[in-house]
Amino acid sequence: MKTKKIFFLVFFLVISFTYSQCWKSVSVGYTHALAIGGNNTLWAWGNNSHGQLGIGTNISNNAPAQVGTDSDWKIVFAGGGPFAFTLALKNNGTLWAWGNNTYGQVGDGTFINKISPVQIGTDTDWKSISAGYSHALATKNNGTLWSWGNSEFYALGNTAGYGDGYHRNIPTQVGTLSTWNMVSAGDRYSLALQTNGTVYGWGYNSGNPIGLNSGLYVMSPQIRSYNNTGVKWITAGGNHSYDVKSSNSLLVTWGSNVYGQTGGTTCAGCPVYYVKDTDCGDDTSAIIKTDNTLWYTGKKLGYPSTSTVQLTNEFLQFGTASNWKSVSVGNQSGAALTTSGELWTWGWNFWGNLGNGTTVDSMVPIPVACPTALNTTSTTYIPKCSIYPNPAIEEIQISIPENTNIEQILVTDVSGKKCLNGTITNNKVNISQLKSGLYLLQIQLATTTEILKFVKK
């Protein structure tokens, strides 16, 4: 399939978007994503071949579709790899999962795929969760550590065995310690953080993402051999991982750098980064620095959308916006939230995993509509407004429904940086002062705000 370049589109996606606290959190998997809305509802989009969206079907969606009708979701994780599943917590401490269950990663005691959320057991004291390639990790309020799913390469952290016959289809406690605070499941390996800031790892250690130079397989949780204490945050990816230090929020990277996924931080004299959030994907990574700017490294595009891999081996900044709050990345795609609850996505979009109503790849962040404006039975939104000409040179004309007034407009670049704002005359916007490029036009009507893309020649 040839890459579709967003700058050459003749027809542009128009989506309804309201900026006030639309989204609370987002998680990007291998080819699907989920997000929790501002009202604690749960939404999903992308590949649904295994039921990983949880919407009761196996039909994929290129725009957010609501998962059930519950409005008490707290945390959600989209698992990676071809055996995709989803893991979630509710505010009442119950644990839920759905999607591919080949290895028991749903955790409901079966090996049958689930297309809707099912509760895992009856416990109400789950604290933290993480979904990996085809296994899951969790901690409870009492500090105990649990794992289930694929036992390949000892990713579950028990020494009982490896491979078929040793997979676990219900949560099984790992060891007896009760000092675990956070978990992160990678591609057939696992990381866990203790309350004292010490990092442990186990599973498949190809490329050394675990931080142990003692072999390819780590059968049970082992403390990192160096630089292993004083950590407040961990994230595991394909075969690389990140730590964040408690004392100064310093980023520490581990593992493979084949696609630049460690961001050029592993040499003497290399750049250092101080971060407030991080995430490691398959062959990608992203960070939000302490100044609230967004940065991305690793494989950007290349499979299966294009024959040539596009990558960067150093962190590159997305635009100049400094209002980013959290970030999640998967397989060559990512998503980030702003402090005001806006959701933006970028990268590979073959399955509609950017959630913007298209299957067009984007090398720059583009907005995802507010969940309250979506139709849960359709992935198509019919816009109220349109603009022409597009592309434009001097001005653009806005067409609006009868008996409707435009209260205000705002033009930003794709990073969210303000370029023009104010009122308009005769529904025309003068764009002569803008540089050539792609822009977003926000149109504030009486009851909604719409965003339209346009190109300035």
Side-chain angles (χ1 to χ4, degrees):
M1 177 180 177
K2 294 182 179 179
T3 305
K4 298 177 181 178
K5 299 294 185 180
I6 204 166
F7 287 96
F8 297 107
L9 289 176
V10 177
F11 300 100
F12 293 86
L13 171 67
V14 182
I15 60 176
S16 177
F17 195 86
T18 305
Y19 279 111
S20 179
Q21 300 303 322
C22 289
W23 303 96
K24 281 189 174 181
S25 65
V26 63
S27 179
V28 178
Y30 194 77
T31 56
H32 78 295
L34 295 102
I36 297 176
N39 58 355
N40 298 322
T41 53
L42 184 59
W43 302 77
W45 58 93
N47 187 5
N48 195 31
S49 56
H50 303 290
Q52 59 264 44
L53 299 189
I55 58 176
T57 74
N58 290 101
I59 300 174
S60 301
N61 283 276
N62 59 16
Q66 189 169 357
V67 181
T69 59
D70 292 348
S71 58
D72 57 348
W73 298 100
K74 181 180 181 180
I75 303 172
V76 65
F77 263 89
F83 304 99
F85 72 110
T86 301
L87 193 63
L89 280 183
K90 287 190 174 183
N91 288 322
N92 61 5
T94 56
L95 181 61
W96 300 73
W98 55 95
N100 189 289
N101 201 22
T102 301
Y103 299 101
Q105 60 264 44
V106 169
D108 68 335
T110 77
F111 292 96
I112 302 172
N113 293 355
K114 300 298 186 299
I115 60 176
S116 299
V118 295
Q119 186 174 350
I120 301 175
T122 59
D123 292 347
T124 60
D125 58 345
W126 296 101
K127 178 184 178 182
S128 68
I129 57 174
S130 182
Y133 181 82
S134 53
H135 75 291
L137 302 170
T139 64
K140 288 189 174 184
N141 291 332
N142 62 6
T144 55
L145 174 64
W146 302 73
S147 68
W148 62 97
N150 192 351
S151 67
E152 189 177 22
F153 302 132
Y154 303 100
L156 300 188
N158 58 67
T159 59
Y162 164 87
D164 291 341
Y166 296 99
H167 307 311
R168 297 290 186 268
N169 60 13
I170 60 171
T172 304
Q173 187 171 349
V174 181
T176 60
L177 295 178
S178 58
T179 54
W180 301 104
N181 186 50
M182 182 184 181
V183 288
S184 186
D187 182 355
R188 292 166 288 188
Y189 74 95
S190 303
L191 299 178
L193 179 65
Q194 290 197 324
T195 53
N196 65 359
T198 304
V199 181
Y200 284 71
W202 61 94
Y204 190 43
N205 197 32
S206 175
N208 199 32
I210 296 175
L212 290 168
N213 293 312
S214 57
L216 189 60
Y217 308 120
V218 182
M219 298 173 65
S220 61
Q222 301 293 321
I223 192 170
R224 278 187 168 167
S225 57
Y226 52 95
N227 196 25
N228 60 76
T229 61
V231 174
K232 65 179 179 180
W233 180 267
I234 54 174
T235 179
N239 53 3
H240 68 293
S241 64
Y242 285 1
D243 291 349
V244 180
K245 288 294 187 178
S246 299
S247 59
N248 56 3
S249 297
L250 175 68
L251 175 69
V252 181
T253 65
W254 307 81
S256 173
N257 192 39
V258 172
Y259 295 104
Q261 57 265 50
T262 61
T265 62
T266 56
C267 64
C270 282
V272 295
Y273 298 91
Y274 302 94
V275 298
K276 62 179 288 187
D277 195 31
T278 67
D279 197 33
C280 295
D282 191 44
D283 296 313
T284 62
S285 301
I287 61 173
I288 296 177
K289 293 173 63 174
T290 51
D291 63 0
N292 300 322
T293 54
L294 177 62
W295 301 70
Y296 184 79
T297 192
K299 187 186 291 186
K300 296 188 287 186
L301 290 174
Y303 174 83
S305 302
T306 63
S307 58
T308 302
V309 174
Q310 302 178 47
L311 56 88
T312 172
N313 58 8
E314 62 180 352
F315 281 106
L316 300 178
Q317 186 177 356
F318 273 142
T320 59
S322 58
N323 64 335
W324 297 104
K325 176 184 178 182
S326 63
V327 64
S328 178
V329 292
N331 177 34
Q332 305 170 60
S333 63
L337 285 172
T338 68
T339 53
S340 58
E342 305 157 23
L343 175 59
W344 298 72
T345 59
W346 66 90
W348 180 44
N349 197 26
F350 181 83
W351 291 99
N353 32 311
L354 299 190
N356 65 345
T358 78
T359 55
V360 179
D361 299 334
S362 177
M363 297 294 284
V364 295
I366 50 180
V368 176
C370 272
T372 53
L374 299 175
N375 184 335
T376 59
T377 61
S378 173
T379 60
T380 303
Y381 172 74
I382 301 176
K384 294 181 174 65
C385 304
S386 61
I387 57 176
Y388 60 92
N390 194 358
I393 300 175
E394 296 292 331
E395 65 179 19
I396 52 178
Q397 177 76 48
I398 304 174
S399 176
I400 60 175
E402 294 183 5
N403 303 318
T404 303
N405 294 318
I406 298 176
E407 297 186 357
Q408 194 172 22
I409 61 98
L410 172 65
V411 176
T412 70
D413 62 19
V414 291
S415 73
K417 181 181 179 181
K418 184 188 298 184
C419 300
L420 291 172
N421 74 317
T423 58
I424 62 174
T425 303
N426 296 325
N427 294 342
K428 293 182 179 180
V429 182
N430 187 334
I431 60 170
S432 59
Q433 61 185 288
L434 298 178
K435 297 180 180 179
S436 298
L438 178 65
Y439 294 89
L440 303 174
L441 171 64
Q442 301 177 36
I443 305 172
Q444 182 179 334
L445 305 177
T447 59
T448 187
T449 299
E450 293 197 354
I451 292 185
L452 294 80
K453 293 181 182 179
F454 72 90
V455 170
K456 165 63 189 304
K457 283 187 175 181

